[in-house]
Amino acid sequence: MKLSRRRFIQSSFAFTALSVLPACSVNRSYDQQGRPVYDLTAMPSKAELVPGYQTSILGFNGQIPAPTIRCKQGQKVTIRFTNLLSEPTTIHWHGLRIPIEMDGVPFLSQPPIMPGETFVYEFTPPDAGTFWYHPHMNSVVQLGKGLVGLIIVDEASPVKFEEDHQVMVKHWHVDPQGEWKDLMIPRLSARMGTPGEWGTVNGSHNPSYSLQENATTRVRIANVDNTLTYPIRLEGVDAWVIAIDGNPVKRPYPLSEHKVGPGMRVDVGFIAPQAGERVYVRYMKGKFPFPLCEFQCVKSNLSPANVLPRLPLNPIPQIDLDNAQQIDFVFEWQGAVTPVDDTGKASPTFWLINKRAWNGMSENSIPAALASLQRGKTYIFNLKNVTQYHHPIHLHGHTFTVLELDGVKLDEPFHTDTVLLGKNGSAKAAFVADNPGRWMYHCHVIEHLKTGLMGYIEVT
């Protein structure tokens, strides 16, 4: 496939007066059809991650948290993205089923965006839900130092929650004075990855938010961490899982504990308690809860609600299991193999997909696909993790229907873009290969993909 040309800003755009969205400092205007147009910039900046200290970060529009991009299901959105970093970058729109030219993988779907350049991303999201965006270049550093943000796609027919909150969780590799520590330690990359030490929600440590009593509430929890899986629990309220990785579940179910791996999201719904009470979002380490954030309920004029709004299902293509082709994928550990390049720099490789390690690519060197799929056909990926470390397996451009986990057939299959495989875990995930292109397929523990656990599938 020939690489598409960069799409620079053209004078044919016609915009209404510029507006600034509250609490996110992102410029939004509108084209002649009333569709949103955002201006987004990747740039070095400083942020107060640890109170009282300034940390040098990489930020979208120079800020932590990054601006939230909000658009509407079935409506085109335009993002004019400028790279003010000292190195190339791109933006990948994680979880969105959009054309390959907009997927943001360098060389595979678009040329790298060089320093000083602007690229225009345009797409029409078919699915509503909670998604996120991040670079797909030098990911350990660019994501690790702050280039992560949410893109929320509102339902085509509005679903009204009285409160809608974003909880973007991330641990930072900084010391108590906000100075950077190692983002990647190879001996840890060969295990679960190098964990950060300073936990935040939306860039703040254990923040507190207000919540109207009796409000029907949607909390969008997104794991934008490089490494950590967060087993999530809510205390102080009866909460329900209403969406997984942006996709509404057919029948919401009570939240006890939900594991959210790197790149994954979960939306929970509840009716806010009375004024004076608190709702806690906890990160469970074994049996021990650690605080992420809390909501303090305040008085309101809202009447007590009996039910939560229901989310319509996304238009995921119907799978044809009777004619599906099955493909096995084994994720395993290669061992401490550390190649050295011509400059003497070590490039460790620890992980394999079907006995192959990802060794990178360039404009004139694209590795072979892990699998070539026929457009319109249903496939079942038999995923098997033969290591003691978990792997959140993410596929670009498509949505899985998870049929089975750890050998147990699911009574209620669910849709997701990332399947979390636990220690020696397995899954059966089906999808219709309806989106043509070369699509990245990888573990979303960033150090794992960096050291081999990545490849791509081709849909023709």
Side-chain angles (χ1 to χ4, degrees), residues 59-97:
F60 286 113
N61 290 9
Q63 65 187 73
I64 301 295
T68 294
I69 294 174
R70 200 132 194 170
C71 53
K72 189 174 182 180
Q73 182 182 25
Q75 182 185 75
K76 188 180 81 170
V77 61
T78 299
I79 300 102
R80 304 183 297 190
F81 172 64
T82 300
N83 177 16
L84 294 184
L85 304 176
S86 61
E87 62 183 15
T89 192
T90 60
I91 298 183
H92 167 58
W93 309 95
H94 182 114
L96 292 180
R97 297 186 296 128

Side-chain angles (χ1 to χ4, degrees), residues 210-237:
S210 64
L211 183 64
Q212 299 177 89
E213 65 177 353
N214 301 324
T216 54
T217 303
R218 181 177 187 171
V219 177
R220 305 169 186 264
I221 302 171
N223 182 355
V224 299
D225 198 84
N226 278 20
T227 303
L228 295 176
T229 290
Y230 293 81
I232 295 292
R233 180 182 296 177
L234 266 63
E235 297 176 5
V237 73

Side-chain angles (χ1 to χ4, degrees), residues 352-370:
L352 303 171
I353 302 178
N354 287 357
K355 303 189 183 302
R356 285 175 50 186
W358 179 255
N359 292 314
M361 61 183 167
S362 63
E363 182 177 3
N364 299 315
S365 178
I366 306 293
L370 288 168

Side-chain angles (χ1 to χ4, degrees), residues 186-197:
R187 65 180 176 84
L188 298 180
S189 304
R191 299 171 185 171
M192 199 52 254
T194 307
E197 298 177 14

